[in-house]
Amino acid sequence: MRLGVLDVGSNTVHLLVVDAHSGARPLPAYSHKEELRLAELLDDNGAITSEGVDRLAATVTAALQVAEDQGVEDLLPFATSAVREAANAEQVLSRVAEETGVKLEVLTGEDEARLTFLSARRWFGWSVGRLLLLDIGGGSLEIAYGQDEEPDAAVSLPLGAGRLTTAWLPGDPPDATDLRTLRRHVRAEIARVVGEFSRFSAPDHAVGTSKTFKQLARIAGAARTAEGPYVERRLTLAALEEWVPRLAGMTAAERAELPGVSEGRARQLLAGALVAEAAMDLFRVEELEICPWALREGVILRRLDHLRAT
């Protein structure tokens, strides 16, 4: 069957269309993405502005048309931190449902961590043993650990690359004092949850998902996306420690000229690098492997498991 996953995130609204069958891996068929930057369309009270709601409803309507054009039989719409944490989240959800007919499922941060962990486990399989997952989104950082498909520990922290850039790094390039302040904040937030994971055995394999990790790996020398999902891509802590000060000295326009870095995400790449460096350092990860599957694939896999069980 042809499934569509509509992901309303902090940076983009992304429709991923896949051909999926129970017991088989989902095959990507079509991708439609609109850069909305919903997390930046907030008023002083933390509510999504009327302009933001209008744009969201229009973007969802356009995605619905694409889904219809692509023959999608089952649409799985969900929203993450940008909607979840908005002061007017209920009103936003009601407005979108009223205007488009789409009822967005709002995932909790723990849901995000668990579903992304599921997708990484299915991608790498059982042979990698105990898995540590790090995922940096626009609004949050997800961390999960386990040796099964359901993680033993899963947490979500408000350390997304877009959120941090907007709140902590207004300069372009950023002010050195702002950068140090953000670095302390990020490390303090991550350090608070390290203890929840240290009671478990050390992971056998560490994995990074999301656009931020993919871009960081690319500028550190990993293969291009065009070379396909089965090419091994890795990111080392040593490479991050070298790149963080380099990124800090660049403007957003200069970062956008780096290999694999899109113009829309160039400004927030530095904040993402700070989070990645801190997480790898505090969790004592010297190297991680980039997983091409993430939250959207986890939502698809959960749906297929449900269909198989009924």
Side-chain angles (χ1 to χ4, degrees):
M1 66 185 303
R2 180 155 281 196
L3 293 175
V5 180
L6 183 60
D7 175 2
V8 177
S10 299
N11 289 312
T12 61
V13 176
H14 189 172
L15 171 69
L16 176 64
V17 178
V18 300
D19 290 318
H21 305 280
S22 180
R25 65 183 177 88
L27 297 174
Y30 193 82
S31 178
H32 171 78
K33 186 185 299 184
E34 291 288 338
E35 196 169 274
L36 188 58
R37 296 196 174 280
L38 200 58
E40 297 178 9
L41 299 174
L42 302 175
D43 63 22
D44 293 339
N45 297 316
I48 297 174
T49 63
S50 57
E51 176 194 357
V53 180
D54 289 343
R55 290 174 59 185
L56 175 58
T59 303
V60 170
T61 298
L64 282 177
Q65 184 62 58
V66 173
E68 179 182 324
D69 293 344
Q70 294 298 316
V72 169
E73 301 174 54
D74 190 4
L75 184 68
L76 310 175
F78 67 89
T80 55
S81 62
V83 173
R84 180 173 69 236
E85 297 171 11
N88 59 339
E90 290 302 322
Q91 295 94 318
V92 171
L93 294 170
S94 296
R95 171 85 177 279
V96 170
E98 180 182 339
E99 293 198 13
T100 70
V102 172
K103 295 182 178 180
L104 293 170
E105 177 187 1
V106 179
L107 300 180
T108 67
E110 186 174 316
D111 287 338
E112 290 187 55
R114 291 181 178 278
L115 288 167
T116 307
F117 184 88
L118 170 63
S119 68
R121 170 59 75 192
R122 293 277 179 94
W123 179 267
F124 289 108
W126 302 111
S127 63
V128 297
R130 296 179 296 268
L131 196 65
L132 175 67
L133 169 85
L134 302 174
D135 179 281
I136 303 170
S140 58
L141 162 69
E142 275 69 51
I143 308 168
Y145 166 95
Q147 57 185 353
D148 299 318
E149 291 196 340
E150 183 69 19
D152 297 313
V155 299
S156 178
L157 299 173
L159 297 177
R163 176 202 296 266
L164 295 179
T165 300
T166 300
W168 298 79
L169 299 177
D172 184 28
D175 178 79
T177 299
D178 291 340
L179 191 61
R180 286 194 298 271
T181 301
L182 175 57
R183 186 179 187 275
R184 287 194 296 269
H185 170 70
V186 166
R187 287 180 172 259
E189 287 292 307
I190 295 174
R192 289 193 182 101
V193 303
V194 169
E196 297 182 32
F197 295 83
S198 60
R199 59 193 175 94
F200 301 108
S201 301
D204 299 305
H205 199 67
V207 172
T209 68
S210 76
K211 193 70 171 180
T212 294
F213 272 119
K214 290 176 181 177
Q215 291 185 338
L216 290 171
R218 179 72 184 97
I219 66 173
R224 298 174 302 149
T225 301
E227 295 184 35
Y230 301 109
V231 176
E232 185 179 277
R233 297 171 175 85
R234 293 182 177 272
L235 176 65
T236 66
L237 179 58
L240 273 176
E241 291 171 343
E242 176 185 340
W243 269 101
V244 165
R246 293 174 65 180
L247 292 171
M250 295 179 179
T251 63
E254 290 169 334
R255 289 181 212 136
E257 296 178 358
L258 295 170
V261 178
S262 64
E263 183 178 353
R265 291 179 181 266
R267 184 167 176 262
Q268 66 186 46
L269 185 62
L270 173 59
L274 283 172
V275 174
E277 179 190 34
M280 291 180 70
D281 186 20
L282 291 168
F283 279 92
R284 300 180 180 178
V285 173
E286 294 297 325
E287 180 181 74
L288 53 76
E289 187 170 359
I290 306 302
C291 179
W293 281 4
L295 177 59
R296 284 181 289 275
E297 287 78 10
V299 171
I300 292 167
L301 293 168
R302 181 182 66 176
R303 175 61 172 162
L304 291 175
D305 288 348
H306 175 74
L307 290 174
R308 184 163 47 185
T310 55

